């Protein structure tokens, strides 16, 4: 192979990884700001480091070997004058094995964890001990599998040279608001000099962060204002509720094995009224985990179907879509409404059939995943879109679905629906992550909100236990006990933000360790990298009680409903956000058995982690939890930190930066009126896929 071709190959592989992170243009790189900073200015003594911490040590290799346990892995022991620690590589190159020859000294960095045999660092960063220590903080960027920080740093510094770093705002405005120039701000954030105040950089109070936060909030306000304006001008087909007790809705209500709660009835009425209007509904239905949103969605769908349009319901995961399909089918088919199913894992033949039925209008009610928004799916007359667990979707995905209702998909549909040229579907989004009212007003300024308060009667609250990781053996014994009594158990593996590979590896390790510790039980494993078919089989086995213990990553976080599961163990609970813990805990407490949620944590706990765990212990009310989450962490977590898309705030924090929101709002109004050119330039910098957003 020639050097040129191998270079080209590595380049494109790296580029593919950049794309995965949404990094396409120099602008994207410039705004890919550090998720945190590492202080690598000092060397620690091994005796002083502890699990859960990032450490930097200098130590000599005293022993290293390749082990099979059962997978091939490299492990080494290193020591300094104060103590020793293990290093471990799940995959490694011969060069790394070379490096770990006994007697060699290295500078070693990484996250320390409590392994099954004492403290260890998995996949540490190794460098020569002689190189001078950095004088300033080292930025750390969010990355993806196999993309090293150094590659990101290089691409970012190049973007800082070649990209546009000019200010979007005139200096008079900056002066008035006391903000620093854009270019200064990003240079400080990407490459802080030793003079910058480390604390305020780490805590996001530094003036450089304030400038970035303001810019982001301003872009958000500008785009919300634009979206509002364009939405007002849209038209939708009014979908009146069929009168009388023979309507589909009334017949479903009469057939239900339970009585709707007052709260459900109220939100159903709110939604039903919206549907009768000739402009699009944009309504968010929020209600705690288990509050009964699915039936509200089904009733909404039936009103629309009876009024003569197609309905699409989309869930963020295959597991959840499948579950909705089964449940809603059992409700709707007795009424003569056939429910269709469309997901990515279907065979291409059955997908074609479903797509055909959607296009010719035979399919009136379709449930599925993101596959519903593929270009190959054309609805004949889509009148209502329901998006479940909306916080898990990117805004872009939601918007593609809402555009499905617009005509012009294909030439033929344009002809057929010429009279409906401008009709857009009504939209109901659902979320179990309640948003406190103040936040909803800023963030979803153009959305109506309906809330289901409380849970249906007859639920037994989940008992929450906080247990230190050192008592893991007791917890495993408890798992064995619960299984012996016929209950099923979820074992949730820790979230590892920096590395998907490590997250996966931890799940695989845990699965193996639990299988060994519980030889009489069937221990299953489900994670995000499995094929959809394998995931479905694993979930089905768990649902059918074949699997006793299900080791899972956070793929089970939303919506999953297995009533016989009554014990959940969450490892490293201190790493999860409050909303996420609440969602996870919502997977148990769904059946008759009294349920227990064990939050295993590793000491020492940070103050915020302690407050989060305490909140989990003290309350199960999702609204209360949301409020505490907002107080503790700010809205990023609340709105789903993984959400990508234009409306997401990556840097600003609505709870902390309330003052900036107000300033940004006023500035947005002023710019739209007096300086639309500045407004546009600013939006261009910040809004990836801005056009999608404005079209919505
Ligand atoms: P979520 O709001 O989390 O999506 P679901 O819609 O999955 O909750 O509802 C949870 C469970 O409660 C389901 O089994 C559902 O059938 C049941 N349910 C919904 N409404 C009621 C009610 N009014 N009374 C009793 N059970 C209900
Ligand atoms: Mg649900």
């Amino acid at each position: 192979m020639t050097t040129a071709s191998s270079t080209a190959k590595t380049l494109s592989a790296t580029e593919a990884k950049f794309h995965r992170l949404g990094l396409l243009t120099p602008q994207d790189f410039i705004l890919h700001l550090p998720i945190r900073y590492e202080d690598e200015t000092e060397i620690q003594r091994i005796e002083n480091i502890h699990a859960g911490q990032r450490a930097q040590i200098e130590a000599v290799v005293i022993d290293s070997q390749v082990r099979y346990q059962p997978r091939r892995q490299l492990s080494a022991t290193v020591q300094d004058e104060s103590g020793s620690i293990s290093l471990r590589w799940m995959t490694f190159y011969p060069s790394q094995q070379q490096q770990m020859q006994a007697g060699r000294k290295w500078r070693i960095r990484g996250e320390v964890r409590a392994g099954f045999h004492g403290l260890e660092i998995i996949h540490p960063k190794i460098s020569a001990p002689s190189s001078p220590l950095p004088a300033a903080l080292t930025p750390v960027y969010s990355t993806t599998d196999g993309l090293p920080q150094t590659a990101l740093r290089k691409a970012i510094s190049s973007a800082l040279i070649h990209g546009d770093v000019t200010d979007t705002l005139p200096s008079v405005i900056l002066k008035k608001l006391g903000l620093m120039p854009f270019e200064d701000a990003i240079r400080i954030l990407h490459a802080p000099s030793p003079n910058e105040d480390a604390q305020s950089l780490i805590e996001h109070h530094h003036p450089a962060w304030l400038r970035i936060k303001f810019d982001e909030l301003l872009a958000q306000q500008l785009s919300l204002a634009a979206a509002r304006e364009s939405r007002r001008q849209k038209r939708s087909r009014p979908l009146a509720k069929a009168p009388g007790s023979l309507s589909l809705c009334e017949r479903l209500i009469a057939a239900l094995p339970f009585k709707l709660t007052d709260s459900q009835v109220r939100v159903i009425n709110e939604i039903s009224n919206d549907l009768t209007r000739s402009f699009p509904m944009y309504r968010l239905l929020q209600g705690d985990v288990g509050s009964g949103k699915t039936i509200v969605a089904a009733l909404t769908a039936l009103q629309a179907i009876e009024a003569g349009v197609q309905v699409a319901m989309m869930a963020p995961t295959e597991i959840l879509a499948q579950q909705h399909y089964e449940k809603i089918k059992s409700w709707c088919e007795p009424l003569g409404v056939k429910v269709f199913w469309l997901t990515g894992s279907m065979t291409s033949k059955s997908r074609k059939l479903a797509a055909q039925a959607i296009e010719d209008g035979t399919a009136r009610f379709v449930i599925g995943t993101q596959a519903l928004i593929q270009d190959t799916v054309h609805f004949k007359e889509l009148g209502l879109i329901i998006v479940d667990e909306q916080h898990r979707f990117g805004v872009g995905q939601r918007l593609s679905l809402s555009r499905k209702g617009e005509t012009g998909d294909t030439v033929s549909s344009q002809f057929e629906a010429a009279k409906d040229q401008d009709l857009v579907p009504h939209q109901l989004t659902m979320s179990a992550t309640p948003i406190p009212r103040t936040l909803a007003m800023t963030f979803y300024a153009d959305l109506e909100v309906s809330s289901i308060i409380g849970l249906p009667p007859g639920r037994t609250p989940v008992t929450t236990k906080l247990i230190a990781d050192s008592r893991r053996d007791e917890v495993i014994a408890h798992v064995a006990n619960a299984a012996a009594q016929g209950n099923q158990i979820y074992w949730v593996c820790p979230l590892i933000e920096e590395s998907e590979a490590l997250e996966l590896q931890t799940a695989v390790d845990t699965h193996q360790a639990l299988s060994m510790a519980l030889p009489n039980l069937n221990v299953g494993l489900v994670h995000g990298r499995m094929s959809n078919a394998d995931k479905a089989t694993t979930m089905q086995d768990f649902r059918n009680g074949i699997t006793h213990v299900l080791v899972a990553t956070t793929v089970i976080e939303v919506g999953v409903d297995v009533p016989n599961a009554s014990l959940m163990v969450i490892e490293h609970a201190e790493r999860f956000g409050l909303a996420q813990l609440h969602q996870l805990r919502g997977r148990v407490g769904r059946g008759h058995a009294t349920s227990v949620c064990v939050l295993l944590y590793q000491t020492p706990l940070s103050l915020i982690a302690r407050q989060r765990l305490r909140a989990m212990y003290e309350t199960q009310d999702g609204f209360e939890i949301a409020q505490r989450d907002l107080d503790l962490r700010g809205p990023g977590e609340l709105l789903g930190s993984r959400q990508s898309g234009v409306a997401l705030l990556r840097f600003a924090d609505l709870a902390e930066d309330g003052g900036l929101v107000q300033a940004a709002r006023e500035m947005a109004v002023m710019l739209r009126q007096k300086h639309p050119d500045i407004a546009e330039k600013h939006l261009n910098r910040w809004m990836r896929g801005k056009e999608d957003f404005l079209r919505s």
Side-chain angles (χ1 to χ4, degrees), residues 356-367:
Q356 181 57 40
I358 289 170
E359 189 160 356
D360 68 22
T362 329
R364 309 310 290 172
F365 195 169
V366 190
I367 296 178

Side-chain angles (χ1 to χ4, degrees), residues 6-43:
S6 74
T7 316
K9 207 167 156 201
T10 37
L11 258 186
S12 65
T14 309
E15 263 165 20
K17 283 171 187 150
F18 287 150
H19 284 207
R20 252 181 93 178
L21 291 171
L23 302 175
L24 305 167
T25 66
Q27 247 353 278
D28 298 333
F29 283 95
I30 290 171
L31 291 176
H32 193 65
L33 293 169
I35 41 170
R36 58 160 206 279
Y37 294 90
E38 254 167 37
D39 189 347
E40 293 173 356
T41 58
E42 277 168 28
I43 302 289

Side-chain angles (χ1 to χ4, degrees), residues 2 6 14 30 85 120 122 133 154 168 189 209 215 223 284 319 374 381 432 469 476 485 542 552 558 568 587 653 685:
T2 68
S6 74
T14 309
I30 290 171
I85 187 169
E120 64 177 1
I122 311 266
L133 286 169
K154 223 168 108 191
T168 49
L189 295 174
W209 278 121
D215 274 22
S223 74
L284 170 68
I319 292 175
Q374 273 165 5
E381 42 198 348
D469 192 55
I476 293 176
Q485 286 165 27
F542 190 58
V558 290
M568 168 168 285
R587 300 308 115 222
D653 177 333
R685 165 163 287 158

